[in-house]
């Protein structure tokens, strides 16, 4: 049976899509069929018995037997493409990110929303905990903002916590030349919001010139197996991965491992040793990840890879203005808002006056609330608040969500 004719998709693209639908986006089954039959059209036109002889899963065989349902699925995707609900690019098209073709198991297609040109630009991944400390949220935001201001695209997985702050930091640009420099990789179908309360984040990314992608079929719901697949694409798209805060069992460590397996550099931020939320970062550093405390350290190492990559592929390097910004890190930092500024790593340490050292010693980098500090310090409320205000004015501490934390 020949795939239905289309104004958007040629016969080979329809066959790829039909095959992808019938194997339910199974990479192993898809590549097994292509290897056995030599192409998508030949594989899709092969009979039930030929598929069965390859040991294809029973659920895939059942879909393959029902060609009418396959054609109906393609028609629905065609209608969505015509309506502009999303875009679809195939691995043999120039719009497809060349860097994904270098990974072990590249997807045959990508569903996209937004500015697909972002996929051709130099990307750095930022990942981490879904429940980060206040300090990690701010640090993630700052690093993402800084990287976007130097011309890089920040890539992440659209999850709660660190992922969200990475996307928001990249979007927080006042210069129109640097707006929308983020790519979100979904672990669901292209029109399925997950988490469902992130619909505003999805819209913001698209409206400001970023891009959202998924290799999964439309309407695919979140599942524990879809997120490791998403992580490999986050790693595959990026020149390097930064882990800002992660537990020892975090999915971010999967992204870090995949990054390393793809021959790319993993960066991790250290924290104080009793921060359980940072055990994953400390583990990565112990295992050979590069310890960083400023995004310039990432940019310096990644530029070496970028020079090589741009000679080997169509990957677009950061534009000329960003090069000059990289040579003068403070120029990018100057444009960062006071609430979300990344201090230059060459700045001198803050000297805390002796009369404030006691209360300063009670603070850490994930925050203490006022009640806890009152008990620990044994000060009266007016005395405590006065000292905290002094420390804040000195730039030694910050207040986030009613919690006081070191900077």
């Amino acid at each position: 049976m020949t795939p239905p004719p289309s104004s958007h998709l040629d016969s080979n693209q329809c066959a790829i899509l039909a095959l992808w639908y019938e194997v339910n986006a199974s990479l192993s089954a898809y590549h097994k069929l292509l290897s056995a039959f030599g192409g998508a059209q030949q594989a899709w036109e092969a009979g039930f018995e030929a598929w069965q002889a390859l040991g294809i899963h029973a659920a895939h065989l059942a879909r393959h037997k029902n060609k009418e349902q396959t054609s109906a699925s393609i028609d629905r995707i065609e209608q969505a493409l015509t309506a502009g609900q999303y875009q679809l690019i195939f691995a043999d098209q120039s719009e497809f990110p060349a860097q994904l073709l270098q990974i072990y198991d590249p997807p045959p297609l990508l569903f996209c929303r937004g500015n697909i040109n972002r996929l051709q630009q130099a990307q750095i991944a930022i990942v981490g905990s879904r429940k980060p400390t206040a300090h990690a949220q701010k640090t993630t935001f700052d690093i993402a903002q800084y990287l976007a201001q130097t011309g890089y695209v920040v890539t992440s997985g659209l999850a709660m916590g660190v992922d969200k702050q990475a996307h928001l930091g990249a979007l927080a640009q006042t210069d129109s030349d640097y707006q929308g420099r983020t790519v979100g990789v979904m672990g669901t179908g292209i029109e399925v919001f997950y988490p469902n309360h992130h619909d505003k984040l999805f819209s913001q990314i698209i409206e400001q010139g970023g891009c959202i992608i998924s290799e999964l079929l439309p309407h695919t719901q979140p599942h524990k197996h879809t997120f490791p697949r998403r992580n490999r694409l986050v790693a595959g798209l990026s020149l390097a991965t930064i882990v800002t805060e992660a537990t020892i069992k975090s999915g971010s460590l999967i992204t870090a491992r995949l990054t390393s397996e793809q021959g790319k550099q993993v960066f991790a931020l250290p924290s104080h040793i009793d921060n359980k939320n940072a055990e994953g970062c400390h583990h990565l550093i112990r295992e050979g990840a590069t310890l960083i405390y400023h995004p310039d350290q990432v940019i310096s190492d990644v530029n070496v890879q970028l020079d090589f990559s741009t000679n080997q592929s169509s990957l677009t390097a950061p534009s000329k203005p960003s090069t000059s910004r990289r040579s003068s890190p403070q120029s990018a930092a100057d444009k960062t808002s006071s609430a979300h500024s990344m201090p230059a790593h060459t700045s001198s340490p803050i000297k805390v006056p002796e009369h404030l050292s006691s209360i300063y010693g009670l603070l850490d980098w994930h925050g203490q609330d006022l009640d806890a500090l009152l008990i620990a310090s044994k000060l009266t409320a007016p005395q405590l608040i006065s000292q905290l205000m002094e420390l804040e004015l000195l730039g030694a501490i910050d207040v986030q969500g009613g919690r006081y934390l070191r900077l």
Side-chain angles (χ1 to χ4, degrees):
M1 179 178 176
T2 303
S6 164
S7 58
H8 282 90
L9 307 176
D10 61 32
S11 59
N12 186 58
Q13 290 171 342
C14 283
I16 292 170
L17 189 54
L19 206 61
W20 196 235
Y21 167 78
E22 290 184 352
V23 300
N24 196 28
S26 166
L27 287 158
S28 58
Y30 179 85
H31 289 296
K32 178 185 283 189
L33 288 164
L34 250 61
S35 177
F37 297 104
Q41 283 187 300
Q42 299 93 314
W44 193 68
E45 292 168 359
F48 177 89
E49 293 78 10
W51 277 38
Q52 192 174 40
L54 291 174
I56 300 298
H57 193 279
H60 306 335
L61 291 173
R63 289 191 194 88
H64 186 54
K65 205 170 185 179
N66 190 345
K67 299 281 185 158
E68 291 72 20
Q69 187 174 342
T70 301
S71 295
S73 176
I74 295 175
D75 286 341
R76 287 192 294 272
I77 291 173
E78 285 267 62
Q79 291 167 12
L81 291 171
T82 301
Q85 295 177 18
Y86 49 75
Q87 299 163 275
L88 179 58
I89 54 177
F90 293 85
D92 61 351
Q93 293 180 307
S94 60
E95 297 87 352
F96 194 89
Q99 60 270 38
L100 280 188
L101 299 176
Q102 308 303 315
I103 67 175
Y104 172 72
D105 47 0
L109 51 82
L110 289 173
F111 295 93
C112 311
R113 295 176 66 194
N115 180 9
I116 62 173
N117 292 328
R118 296 295 178 210
L119 302 175
Q120 307 297 332
Q121 296 171 337
Q123 300 171 52
I124 296 176
I126 302 179
V127 297
S129 171
R130 284 181 169 82
K131 297 180 180 180
T133 61
H135 179 70
Q137 290 185 59
K138 182 180 185 299
T139 300
T140 301
F141 186 103
D142 291 346
I143 290 175
Q145 187 177 37
Y146 194 97
L147 292 174
Q149 287 175 341
T150 57
Y152 286 92
V153 172
V154 174
T155 301
S156 198
L158 295 163
M160 296 183 293
V162 163
D163 286 18
K164 180 179 180 180
Q165 293 303 314
H167 293 302
L168 290 175
L171 293 170
Q173 309 301 320
T174 56
D175 188 333
S176 60
D177 291 338
Y178 295 94
Q179 287 180 352
R181 288 183 174 269
T182 190
V183 170
V185 185
M186 303 176 71
T188 62
I190 191 66
E191 77 291 59
V192 178
F193 295 132
Y194 182 82
N196 55 18
H197 59 274
H198 273 190
D199 54 336
K200 291 183 180 179
L201 175 62
F202 283 59
S203 298
Q204 186 178 353
I205 291 172
I206 295 166
E207 290 167 4
Q208 292 190 16
C211 184
I212 292 173
I213 66 169
S214 175
E215 68 177 331
L216 302 171
L217 292 160
H219 306 301
T220 301
Q221 296 299 309
H223 189 275
K224 64 180 181 180
H225 298 303
T226 61
F227 294 105
R229 292 184 60 160
R230 173 203 63 185
N231 295 347
R232 97 185 191 288
L233 295 185
V234 170
L237 285 166
S238 306
L239 290 163
T241 293
I242 304 170
V243 185
T244 56
E245 187 176 74
T247 63
I248 199 70
K249 293 184 179 179
S250 171
S252 304
L253 269 65
I254 296 175
T255 309
R257 174 178 58 79
L258 292 167
T259 300
S260 181
E261 289 175 356
Q262 292 170 13
K264 302 170 186 176
Q265 198 164 356
V266 177
F267 300 91
L269 269 71
S271 182
H272 52 289
I273 60 174
D274 60 346
N275 181 5
K276 294 285 185 183
N277 237 30
E279 285 184 348
C281 289
H282 295 156
H283 171 76
L284 289 173
I285 293 168
R286 181 178 172 83
E287 293 297 309
T290 303
L291 184 154
I292 59 163
Y293 49 89
H294 194 281
D296 277 341
Q297 296 157 341
V298 178
I299 292 169
S300 176
D301 286 1
V302 164
N303 281 348
V304 177
Q305 298 179 47
L306 185 58
D307 290 341
F308 176 80
S309 297
T310 50
N311 289 330
Q312 300 296 317
S313 71
S314 59
L315 192 68
T316 303
S319 56
K320 289 294 181 184
S322 67
T323 304
S324 63
R325 291 182 182 214
R326 285 199 302 273
S327 64
S328 180
Q330 192 58 41
S331 63
D334 286 343
K335 296 193 68 178
T336 308
S337 67
S338 60
H340 295 291
S341 60
M342 171 58 65
H345 65 275
T346 56
S347 60
S348 58
I350 295 168
K351 294 181 180 180
V352 176
E354 187 176 347
H355 73 283
L356 299 176
S357 60
S358 178
I359 189 65
Y360 184 73
L362 295 175
L363 298 172
D364 54 29
W365 288 269
H366 60 264
Q368 299 285 343
D369 61 38
L370 197 60
D371 289 339
L373 290 172
L374 280 169
I375 294 169
S377 67
K378 295 182 172 57
L379 296 173
T380 65
Q383 289 173 326
L384 175 61
I385 292 170
S386 174
Q387 292 192 22
L388 290 170
M389 286 180 65
E390 282 191 71
L391 287 168
E392 190 175 358
L393 289 171
L394 285 169
I397 69 169
D398 193 15
V399 187
Q400 295 181 12
R403 298 174 70 87
Y404 295 83
L405 53 110
R406 290 191 188 189
L407 291 178

